Amino acid sequence: MKELFLKDISNTFTVEENQKLFIDNFDGEKSFSVTVNSDVESQLSLLSLEGFSGNIDIKVNTNSRLEIFYADLAKNSSNVKVNISLDEGSGVVFHLASLTTGTSNKNFTISVDHNAKNSTSFVDNYGVVKENGKLIFDGVSYIKNGCVKSVTRQNAKIMVFDEKSIGIAKPILKIDENDIQASHGAVVGKISDEHLFYLMSRGLSEEKAKVLITYGYLKPIMNGFDESTQQKIEELIEGRM
């Protein structure tokens, strides 16, 4: 699969062939749309370091697949709305990992419309919040009438480090068809004292133990990036913790 590294993305972008797209300065305030042509396998990887706010509209045409990796390590607040539209036989897999610290206020809304039969969507959102940060995951997976044999799943998990941290997960399913599969899950909880104690009993400081737990929690996002970017993400996590 062809790899393409972009410094930015235009207001309207079309994926015409099998390719992996990487954007490592996904920041600022803007909106854009992405269209995946029919019969295409593609990947879109986004790394945000400063903070992104805006709407992202994605259309996946017939018999195409799009996998999205969104690593949010921004210090600033964000307000992101992702709207995904699926045609017949198409599918999307969306991975989001967010580290929210300080006084950042982040809101991610990931919504998927199933517009035709045999369409699939899997949304996995993972977040870590510390200090006075606030993180919200929400969104709607909508399977319309007539979209038989479609499948959707939403997962949202947030780990909070202290009492001042706020995490909210609100996945929603809207189903107008019977012959489908749909599920969702939401978990918000504090860092495991048991895991923290175990690591500290093995000689790690509390700070190092929290870094390791955070890295493990957000690690699935690494699969969407090359080795140099993975190393950059590790260093950023350690620096932010």
Side-chain angles (χ1 to χ4, degrees), residues 156-178:
K157 296 183 179 180
I158 300 176
M159 179 171 61
V160 296
F161 269 50
D162 45 62
E163 293 182 356
K164 294 182 179 181
S165 303
I166 298 175
I168 301 172
K170 303 183 295 182
I172 298 172
L173 299 178
K174 184 178 179 181
I175 310 299
D176 288 341
E177 178 59 57
N178 292 320

PDB file of all heavy atoms in Angstrom, residues 156-178:
ATOM      1  N   ALA A 156     -15.994   3.312  24.491  1.00  0.00           N
ATOM      2  CA  ALA A 156     -15.391   4.529  25.024  1.00  0.00           C
ATOM      3  C   ALA A 156     -14.887   4.236  26.433  1.00  0.00           C
ATOM      4  O   ALA A 156     -15.665   3.817  27.300  1.00  0.00           O
ATOM      5  CB  ALA A 156     -16.404   5.669  25.042  1.00  0.00           C
ATOM      6  N   LYS A 157     -13.585   4.448  26.650  1.00  0.00           N
ATOM      7  CA  LYS A 157     -12.984   4.176  27.960  1.00  0.00           C
ATOM      8  C   LYS A 157     -12.107   5.359  28.367  1.00  0.00           C
ATOM      9  O   LYS A 157     -11.252   5.792  27.597  1.00  0.00           O
ATOM     10  CB  LYS A 157     -12.147   2.898  27.912  1.00  0.00           C
ATOM     11  CG  LYS A 157     -12.962   1.636  27.612  1.00  0.00           C
ATOM     12  CD  LYS A 157     -12.086   0.391  27.638  1.00  0.00           C
ATOM     13  CE  LYS A 157     -12.901  -0.861  27.367  1.00  0.00           C
ATOM     14  NZ  LYS A 157     -12.067  -2.084  27.399  1.00  0.00           N
ATOM     15  N   ILE A 158     -12.324   5.859  29.568  1.00  0.00           N
ATOM     16  CA  ILE A 158     -11.555   6.993  30.073  1.00  0.00           C
ATOM     17  C   ILE A 158     -11.026   6.654  31.466  1.00  0.00           C
ATOM     18  O   ILE A 158     -11.778   6.206  32.338  1.00  0.00           O
ATOM     19  CB  ILE A 158     -12.419   8.267  30.143  1.00  0.00           C
ATOM     20  CG1 ILE A 158     -12.951   8.643  28.760  1.00  0.00           C
ATOM     21  CG2 ILE A 158     -11.597   9.422  30.724  1.00  0.00           C
ATOM     22  CD1 ILE A 158     -13.892   9.836  28.765  1.00  0.00           C
ATOM     23  N   MET A 159      -9.736   6.890  31.674  1.00  0.00           N
ATOM     24  CA  MET A 159      -9.107   6.696  32.974  1.00  0.00           C
ATOM     25  C   MET A 159      -8.748   8.066  33.554  1.00  0.00           C
ATOM     26  O   MET A 159      -8.077   8.866  32.898  1.00  0.00           O
ATOM     27  CB  MET A 159      -7.837   5.837  32.842  1.00  0.00           C
ATOM     28  CG  MET A 159      -7.104   5.602  34.154  1.00  0.00           C
ATOM     29  SD  MET A 159      -5.775   4.378  33.995  1.00  0.00           S
ATOM     30  CE  MET A 159      -4.703   5.176  32.786  1.00  0.00           C
ATOM     31  N   VAL A 160      -9.234   8.335  34.761  1.00  0.00           N
ATOM     32  CA  VAL A 160      -8.949   9.610  35.417  1.00  0.00           C
ATOM     33  C   VAL A 160      -7.928   9.386  36.530  1.00  0.00           C
ATOM     34  O   VAL A 160      -7.940   8.365  37.208  1.00  0.00           O
ATOM     35  CB  VAL A 160     -10.229  10.254  35.977  1.00  0.00           C
ATOM     36  CG1 VAL A 160     -11.187  10.611  34.865  1.00  0.00           C
ATOM     37  CG2 VAL A 160     -10.912   9.337  36.984  1.00  0.00           C
ATOM     38  N   PHE A 161      -7.038  10.362  36.711  1.00  0.00           N
ATOM     39  CA  PHE A 161      -5.925  10.225  37.643  1.00  0.00           C
ATOM     40  C   PHE A 161      -6.201  10.821  39.016  1.00  0.00           C
ATOM     41  O   PHE A 161      -5.518  10.487  39.978  1.00  0.00           O
ATOM     42  CB  PHE A 161      -4.672  10.876  37.049  1.00  0.00           C
ATOM     43  CG  PHE A 161      -3.820   9.926  36.257  1.00  0.00           C
ATOM     44  CD1 PHE A 161      -4.390   9.132  35.278  1.00  0.00           C
ATOM     45  CD2 PHE A 161      -2.464   9.824  36.487  1.00  0.00           C
ATOM     46  CE1 PHE A 161      -3.623   8.254  34.552  1.00  0.00           C
ATOM     47  CE2 PHE A 161      -1.677   8.944  35.755  1.00  0.00           C
ATOM     48  CZ  PHE A 161      -2.258   8.155  34.785  1.00  0.00           C
ATOM     49  N   ASP A 162      -7.159  11.733  39.119  1.00  0.00           N
ATOM     50  CA  ASP A 162      -7.382  12.394  40.397  1.00  0.00           C
ATOM     51  C   ASP A 162      -8.810  12.934  40.449  1.00  0.00           C
ATOM     52  O   ASP A 162      -9.549  12.887  39.471  1.00  0.00           O
ATOM     53  CB  ASP A 162      -6.367  13.531  40.604  1.00  0.00           C
ATOM     54  CG  ASP A 162      -6.207  14.382  39.361  1.00  0.00           C
ATOM     55  OD1 ASP A 162      -7.210  15.001  38.941  1.00  0.00           O
ATOM     56  OD2 ASP A 162      -5.099  14.417  38.792  1.00  0.00           O
ATOM     57  N   GLU A 163      -9.194  13.459  41.608  1.00  0.00           N
ATOM     58  CA  GLU A 163     -10.573  13.896  41.818  1.00  0.00           C
ATOM     59  C   GLU A 163     -10.946  15.114  40.983  1.00  0.00           C
ATOM     60  O   GLU A 163     -12.132  15.348  40.723  1.00  0.00           O
ATOM     61  CB  GLU A 163     -10.798  14.186  43.307  1.00  0.00           C
ATOM     62  CG  GLU A 163     -10.729  12.943  44.195  1.00  0.00           C
ATOM     63  CD  GLU A 163     -10.998  13.274  45.651  1.00  0.00           C
ATOM     64  OE1 GLU A 163     -11.165  14.477  45.956  1.00  0.00           O
ATOM     65  OE2 GLU A 163     -11.039  12.336  46.458  1.00  0.00           O
ATOM     66  N   LYS A 164      -9.969  15.901  40.584  1.00  0.00           N
ATOM     67  CA  LYS A 164     -10.261  17.094  39.806  1.00  0.00           C
ATOM     68  C   LYS A 164     -10.428  16.790  38.314  1.00  0.00           C
ATOM     69  O   LYS A 164     -10.858  17.650  37.546  1.00  0.00           O
ATOM     70  CB  LYS A 164      -9.162  18.126  40.006  1.00  0.00           C
ATOM     71  CG  LYS A 164      -9.084  18.681  41.423  1.00  0.00           C
ATOM     72  CD  LYS A 164      -8.001  19.744  41.532  1.00  0.00           C
ATOM     73  CE  LYS A 164      -7.942  20.318  42.936  1.00  0.00           C
ATOM     74  NZ  LYS A 164      -6.903  21.363  43.065  1.00  0.00           N
ATOM     75  N   SER A 165     -10.071  15.586  37.908  1.00  0.00           N
ATOM     76  CA  SER A 165     -10.210  15.195  36.505  1.00  0.00           C
ATOM     77  C   SER A 165     -11.666  14.834  36.202  1.00  0.00           C
ATOM     78  O   SER A 165     -12.359  14.261  37.040  1.00  0.00           O
ATOM     79  CB  SER A 165      -9.320  13.989  36.197  1.00  0.00           C
ATOM     80  OG  SER A 165      -7.978  14.263  36.505  1.00  0.00           O
ATOM     81  N   ILE A 166     -12.108  15.167  34.986  1.00  0.00           N
ATOM     82  CA  ILE A 166     -13.480  14.852  34.577  1.00  0.00           C
ATOM     83  C   ILE A 166     -13.444  14.054  33.283  1.00  0.00           C
ATOM     84  O   ILE A 166     -12.827  14.469  32.297  1.00  0.00           O
ATOM     85  CB  ILE A 166     -14.304  16.131  34.376  1.00  0.00           C
ATOM     86  CG1 ILE A 166     -14.403  16.918  35.684  1.00  0.00           C
ATOM     87  CG2 ILE A 166     -15.704  15.795  33.855  1.00  0.00           C
ATOM     88  CD1 ILE A 166     -15.104  18.257  35.528  1.00  0.00           C
ATOM     89  N   GLY A 167     -14.103  12.907  33.294  1.00  0.00           N
ATOM     90  CA  GLY A 167     -14.238  12.095  32.093  1.00  0.00           C
ATOM     91  C   GLY A 167     -15.694  11.731  31.866  1.00  0.00           C
ATOM     92  O   GLY A 167     -16.383  11.313  32.806  1.00  0.00           O
ATOM     93  N   ILE A 168     -16.185  11.911  30.649  1.00  0.00           N
ATOM     94  CA  ILE A 168     -17.580  11.608  30.313  1.00  0.00           C
ATOM     95  C   ILE A 168     -17.607  10.804  29.012  1.00  0.00           C
ATOM     96  O   ILE A 168     -16.997  11.215  28.017  1.00  0.00           O
ATOM     97  CB  ILE A 168     -18.414  12.892  30.139  1.00  0.00           C
ATOM     98  CG1 ILE A 168     -18.396  13.725  31.429  1.00  0.00           C
ATOM     99  CG2 ILE A 168     -19.847  12.562  29.749  1.00  0.00           C
ATOM    100  CD1 ILE A 168     -19.045  15.092  31.279  1.00  0.00           C
ATOM    101  N   ALA A 169     -18.305   9.679  29.020  1.00  0.00           N
ATOM    102  CA  ALA A 169     -18.435   8.841  27.828  1.00  0.00           C
ATOM    103  C   ALA A 169     -19.910   8.617  27.531  1.00  0.00           C
ATOM    104  O   ALA A 169     -20.655   8.148  28.401  1.00  0.00           O
ATOM    105  CB  ALA A 169     -17.726   7.512  28.031  1.00  0.00           C
ATOM    106  N   LYS A 170     -20.338   8.974  26.305  1.00  0.00           N
ATOM    107  CA  LYS A 170     -21.761   8.899  25.966  1.00  0.00           C
ATOM    108  C   LYS A 170     -21.979   8.295  24.574  1.00  0.00           C
ATOM    109  O   LYS A 170     -22.482   8.976  23.670  1.00  0.00           O
ATOM    110  CB  LYS A 170     -22.379  10.300  26.020  1.00  0.00           C
ATOM    111  CG  LYS A 170     -22.240  11.019  27.344  1.00  0.00           C
ATOM    112  CD  LYS A 170     -22.936  12.374  27.331  1.00  0.00           C
ATOM    113  CE  LYS A 170     -22.300  13.321  26.360  1.00  0.00           C
ATOM    114  NZ  LYS A 170     -22.927  14.672  26.368  1.00  0.00           N
ATOM    115  N   PRO A 171     -21.637   7.049  24.360  1.00  0.00           N
ATOM    116  CA  PRO A 171     -21.914   6.433  23.051  1.00  0.00           C
ATOM    117  C   PRO A 171     -23.411   6.155  22.899  1.00  0.00           C
ATOM    118  O   PRO A 171     -24.078   5.731  23.842  1.00  0.00           O
ATOM    119  CB  PRO A 171     -21.113   5.130  23.095  1.00  0.00           C
ATOM    120  CG  PRO A 171     -21.031   4.792  24.554  1.00  0.00           C
ATOM    121  CD  PRO A 171     -20.975   6.112  25.289  1.00  0.00           C
ATOM    122  N   ILE A 172     -23.941   6.405  21.703  1.00  0.00           N
ATOM    123  CA  ILE A 172     -25.370   6.250  21.454  1.00  0.00           C
ATOM    124  C   ILE A 172     -25.582   5.416  20.189  1.00  0.00           C
ATOM    125  O   ILE A 172     -24.885   5.600  19.187  1.00  0.00           O
ATOM    126  CB  ILE A 172     -26.057   7.623  21.280  1.00  0.00           C
ATOM    127  CG1 ILE A 172     -25.926   8.452  22.565  1.00  0.00           C
ATOM    128  CG2 ILE A 172     -27.526   7.459  20.906  1.00  0.00           C
ATOM    129  CD1 ILE A 172     -26.408   9.882  22.400  1.00  0.00           C
ATOM    130  N   LEU A 173     -26.546   4.515  20.249  1.00  0.00           N
ATOM    131  CA  LEU A 173     -26.949   3.737  19.083  1.00  0.00           C
ATOM    132  C   LEU A 173     -28.344   4.166  18.651  1.00  0.00           C
ATOM    133  O   LEU A 173     -29.256   4.301  19.476  1.00  0.00           O
ATOM    134  CB  LEU A 173     -26.970   2.240  19.401  1.00  0.00           C
ATOM    135  CG  LEU A 173     -25.651   1.589  19.839  1.00  0.00           C
ATOM    136  CD1 LEU A 173     -25.880   0.123  20.156  1.00  0.00           C
ATOM    137  CD2 LEU A 173     -24.586   1.736  18.764  1.00  0.00           C
ATOM    138  N   LYS A 174     -28.517   4.370  17.353  1.00  0.00           N
ATOM    139  CA  LYS A 174     -29.823   4.664  16.781  1.00  0.00           C
ATOM    140  C   LYS A 174     -30.072   3.647  15.682  1.00  0.00           C
ATOM    141  O   LYS A 174     -29.386   3.646  14.651  1.00  0.00           O
ATOM    142  CB  LYS A 174     -29.859   6.092  16.226  1.00  0.00           C
ATOM    143  CG  LYS A 174     -31.234   6.506  15.702  1.00  0.00           C
ATOM    144  CD  LYS A 174     -31.219   7.953  15.210  1.00  0.00           C
ATOM    145  CE  LYS A 174     -32.580   8.354  14.664  1.00  0.00           C
ATOM    146  NZ  LYS A 174     -32.589   9.754  14.165  1.00  0.00           N
ATOM    147  N   ILE A 175     -31.033   2.764  15.894  1.00  0.00           N
ATOM    148  CA  ILE A 175     -31.219   1.620  15.011  1.00  0.00           C
ATOM    149  C   ILE A 175     -32.635   1.612  14.450  1.00  0.00           C
ATOM    150  O   ILE A 175     -33.612   1.571  15.201  1.00  0.00           O
ATOM    151  CB  ILE A 175     -30.958   0.295  15.775  1.00  0.00           C
ATOM    152  CG1 ILE A 175     -29.617   0.345  16.526  1.00  0.00           C
ATOM    153  CG2 ILE A 175     -31.024  -0.875  14.808  1.00  0.00           C
ATOM    154  CD1 ILE A 175     -28.411   0.525  15.652  1.00  0.00           C
ATOM    155  N   ASP A 176     -32.747   1.634  13.118  1.00  0.00           N
ATOM    156  CA  ASP A 176     -34.053   1.580  12.454  1.00  0.00           C
ATOM    157  C   ASP A 176     -34.220   0.323  11.596  1.00  0.00           C
ATOM    158  O   ASP A 176     -35.037   0.303  10.673  1.00  0.00           O
ATOM    159  CB  ASP A 176     -34.244   2.824  11.567  1.00  0.00           C
ATOM    160  CG  ASP A 176     -34.483   4.082  12.381  1.00  0.00           C
ATOM    161  OD1 ASP A 176     -34.857   3.960  13.561  1.00  0.00           O
ATOM    162  OD2 ASP A 176     -34.281   5.192  11.842  1.00  0.00           O
ATOM    163  N   GLU A 177     -33.419  -0.701  11.887  1.00  0.00           N
ATOM    164  CA  GLU A 177     -33.466  -1.949  11.113  1.00  0.00           C
ATOM    165  C   GLU A 177     -33.262  -3.110  12.077  1.00  0.00           C
ATOM    166  O   GLU A 177     -32.529  -2.986  13.072  1.00  0.00           O
ATOM    167  CB  GLU A 177     -32.377  -1.933  10.028  1.00  0.00           C
ATOM    168  CG  GLU A 177     -32.294  -3.187   9.181  1.00  0.00           C
ATOM    169  CD  GLU A 177     -33.591  -3.491   8.453  1.00  0.00           C
ATOM    170  OE1 GLU A 177     -34.076  -2.623   7.694  1.00  0.00           O
ATOM    171  OE2 GLU A 177     -34.121  -4.605   8.660  1.00  0.00           O
ATOM    172  N   ASN A 178     -33.898  -4.252  11.801  1.00  0.00           N
ATOM    173  CA  ASN A 178     -33.819  -5.410  12.693  1.00  0.00           C
ATOM    174  C   ASN A 178     -32.661  -6.347  12.369  1.00  0.00           C
ATOM    175  O   ASN A 178     -31.989  -6.864  13.267  1.00  0.00           O
ATOM    176  CB  ASN A 178     -35.131  -6.201  12.654  1.00  0.00           C
ATOM    177  CG  ASN A 178     -36.281  -5.435  13.266  1.00  0.00           C
ATOM    178  OD1 ASN A 178     -36.115  -4.759  14.279  1.00  0.00           O
ATOM    179  ND2 ASN A 178     -37.457  -5.522  12.645  1.00  0.00           N
TER     180      ASN A 178
END
